[in-house]
């Protein structure tokens, strides 16, 4: 990696650690920043305070860990998807992960009596994974197997179909709609540490596959014929990358619900520093997304305190104008076009 990338990565890691500390100190509850700071420093009176311990260890720590995992997953998934489709506006919803996860949650709530956040997480994960598996099977068939256009079309078509099925089920069951509405807004509130454990192996595998695909994707960027001449199989590369995107995006959606814009904007920011180097893009995109999500979660706790704003709402407010600015900025447009 070249020097600007290393400096940017070091700065982003330092910023992430600072934001994680702030995330442990700031909340919507009655525990003050000072008491939370004393707790972290090991002050006996603060450690003995059950309310402070609950706020720091049982509420803020799990959602901080979740913010990092979701941000890293969506940042890396968005970067991979934009590289493999050669489309700087691609985002993780193109593979139908969001729609499949939503349908999974609705089926679990309506027909299987799901009544716990952990069970909803599992149903969301299964729904997202199953949808992406069908998309991959559709994209792998036919003469244009594994092409980026076929992946996008299969994902969009299946996503639209599952969205319609989800709406049909919701219209017939009011109780399901009430619970589903809370999940689909996208939030880190109420996440427990145990919720992240089943997803850690999936995210780890997704990241390993992502970085393992850097060299093949670099060859693919030169064109399918050039990639074949270098000993790579373009269709196979795209399917493997789509599998990695599924693991990362499915885990993120299962944990926090649909979170828009993050997987779209983080790769843009990464490319302004890294240029066309995909390994650098992946690293910086994951770090940028994690930082942005923690900032959004911190704002979600304080903008209408003592209540809380869904983090996806804040990201939409930030992401909408930023996306317009990106489209109007020559430098960012050129960065996207060079991916």
């Amino acid at each position: 990696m070249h020097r600007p990338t290393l400096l940017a990565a070091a700065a982003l890691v330092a910023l992430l650690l600072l934001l994680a500390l702030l995330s442990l100190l700031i909340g919507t509850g009655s525990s003050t920043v000072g008491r939370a700071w004393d707790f972290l420093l090991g002050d006996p009176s603060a450690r003995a305070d059950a309310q402070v311990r609950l706020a720091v260890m049982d509420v803020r720590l799990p959602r901080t860990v979740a913010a990092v995992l979701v941000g890293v997953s969506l940042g890396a998934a968005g970067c991979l998807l934009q590289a493999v489709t050669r489309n700087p506006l691609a985002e993780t919803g193109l593979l139908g992960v969001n729609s499949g996860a939503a349908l999974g949650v609705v089926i679990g709530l309506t027909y299987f009596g799901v009544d716990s956040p952990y069970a909803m997480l599992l149903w969301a994960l299964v729904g997202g994974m199953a949808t992406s598996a069908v998309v991959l099977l559709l994209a792998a068939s036919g003469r244009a197997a594994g092409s980026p256009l076929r992946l996008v079309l299969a994902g969009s078509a299946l996503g639209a179909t599952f969205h319609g099925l989800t709406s049909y089920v919701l219209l017939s069951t009011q109780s399901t709609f009430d619970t589903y509405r809370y999940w689909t807004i996208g939030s880190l509130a109420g996440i427990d540490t145990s919720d992240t454990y089943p997803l850690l192996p999936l995210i780890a595998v997704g990241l390993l596959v992502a970085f393992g695909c850097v060299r093949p994707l670099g060859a693919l960027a030169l064109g399918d014929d050039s990639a074949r001449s270098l000993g790579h199989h373009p269709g196979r590369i795209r399917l493997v990358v789509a599998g990695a995107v599924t693991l990362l995006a499915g885990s993120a959606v299962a944990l926090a619900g649909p979170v828009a814009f993050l997987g779209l904007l983080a790769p843009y920011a990464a490319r302004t520093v890294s240029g066309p180097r995909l390994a650098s893009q992946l690293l910086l995109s994951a770090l940028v997304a994690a930082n942005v999500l923690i900032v959004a979660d911190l704002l979600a706790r304080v903008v209408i305190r003592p209540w809380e704003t869904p983090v996806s709402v804040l990201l939409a407010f930030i992401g909408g104008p930023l996306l317009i600015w990106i489209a109007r900025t020559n430098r960012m447009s050129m960065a996207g076009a060079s991916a």
Side-chain angles (χ1 to χ4, degrees):
M1 291 187 183
H2 64 318
R3 184 178 177 83
T5 298
L6 292 175
L7 292 176
L12 287 170
V13 170
L15 179 60
L16 185 61
L17 293 174
L18 176 61
L19 291 173
L21 176 61
L22 291 176
S23 181
L24 294 177
L25 297 176
I26 299 172
T28 57
S30 58
S31 298
T32 64
V33 173
R35 291 292 286 170
W37 179 251
D38 291 338
F39 179 88
L40 293 176
L41 291 180
D43 180 82
S45 64
R47 290 279 177 169
D49 191 326
Q51 186 175 7
V52 176
R53 176 178 292 275
L54 175 67
V56 175
M57 300 302 294
D58 296 337
V59 177
R60 298 174 192 171
L61 179 60
R63 71 187 295 170
T64 301
V65 173
V68 173
L69 292 177
V70 171
V72 166
S73 298
L74 290 179
C79 184
L80 275 180
L81 195 56
Q82 290 180 17
V84 76
T85 61
R86 302 172 194 167
N87 180 1
L89 295 179
E91 53 90 27
T92 53
L94 286 179
L95 290 185
V97 175
N98 293 355
S99 297
L103 182 60
V105 169
V106 168
I107 289 175
L109 290 171
T110 305
Y111 301 110
F112 293 89
V114 169
D115 59 358
S116 70
Y118 182 73
M120 287 177 60
L121 181 150
L122 291 178
W123 276 96
L125 184 61
V126 169
M129 296 292 184
T131 302
S132 290
V134 175
V135 169
L136 294 180
L137 288 174
L138 293 174
S141 62
R143 295 172 60 185
S147 71
L149 179 60
R150 197 177 184 90
L151 275 172
V152 170
L153 288 177
S156 299
L158 205 62
T161 301
F162 285 175
H163 179 73
L165 290 173
T166 299
S167 299
Y168 172 78
V169 175
L170 288 175
L171 287 174
S172 61
T173 51
Q174 181 65 37
S175 59
T176 298
F177 176 76
D178 291 338
T179 306
Y180 170 79
R181 181 176 56 185
Y182 176 78
W183 176 84
T184 196
I185 58 177
S187 176
L188 295 171
I191 291 177
D192 189 78
T193 305
S194 61
D195 295 337
T196 61
Y197 292 154
L199 302 179
L200 286 175
L202 300 179
I203 294 173
V205 171
L207 291 174
L208 287 174
V209 174
F211 281 97
C213 289
V214 166
R215 188 179 296 274
L217 280 174
L220 197 62
L222 301 174
D224 285 10
D225 291 337
S226 297
R228 290 190 187 95
S229 67
L230 293 172
H232 299 287
H233 190 290
R236 195 174 301 156
I237 294 170
R238 294 188 180 104
L239 294 177
V240 171
V241 170
V245 171
T246 297
L247 289 174
L248 294 169
S251 299
V253 172
L255 195 56
V259 177
F261 287 109
L262 203 54
L264 176 63
L265 298 175
Y268 268 104
R271 280 194 292 271
T272 60
V273 177
S274 68
R277 301 171 181 84
L278 185 56
S280 300
Q281 287 180 28
L282 271 173
L283 175 62
L284 294 182
S285 182
L287 291 173
V288 166
N291 278 283
V292 170
L293 191 55
I294 290 188
V295 169
D297 188 44
L298 284 169
L299 291 175
R301 306 177 200 183
V302 299
V303 289
I304 55 172
R305 201 169 182 174
W307 294 279
E308 197 168 312
T309 306
V311 69
S312 61
V313 173
L314 287 174
L315 284 173
F317 273 114
I318 297 170
L322 191 56
L323 186 60
I324 296 173
W325 176 77
I326 285 172
R328 295 175 60 88
T329 302
N330 289 334
R331 182 184 176 191
M332 296 294 277
S333 297
M334 290 174 62
S338 65

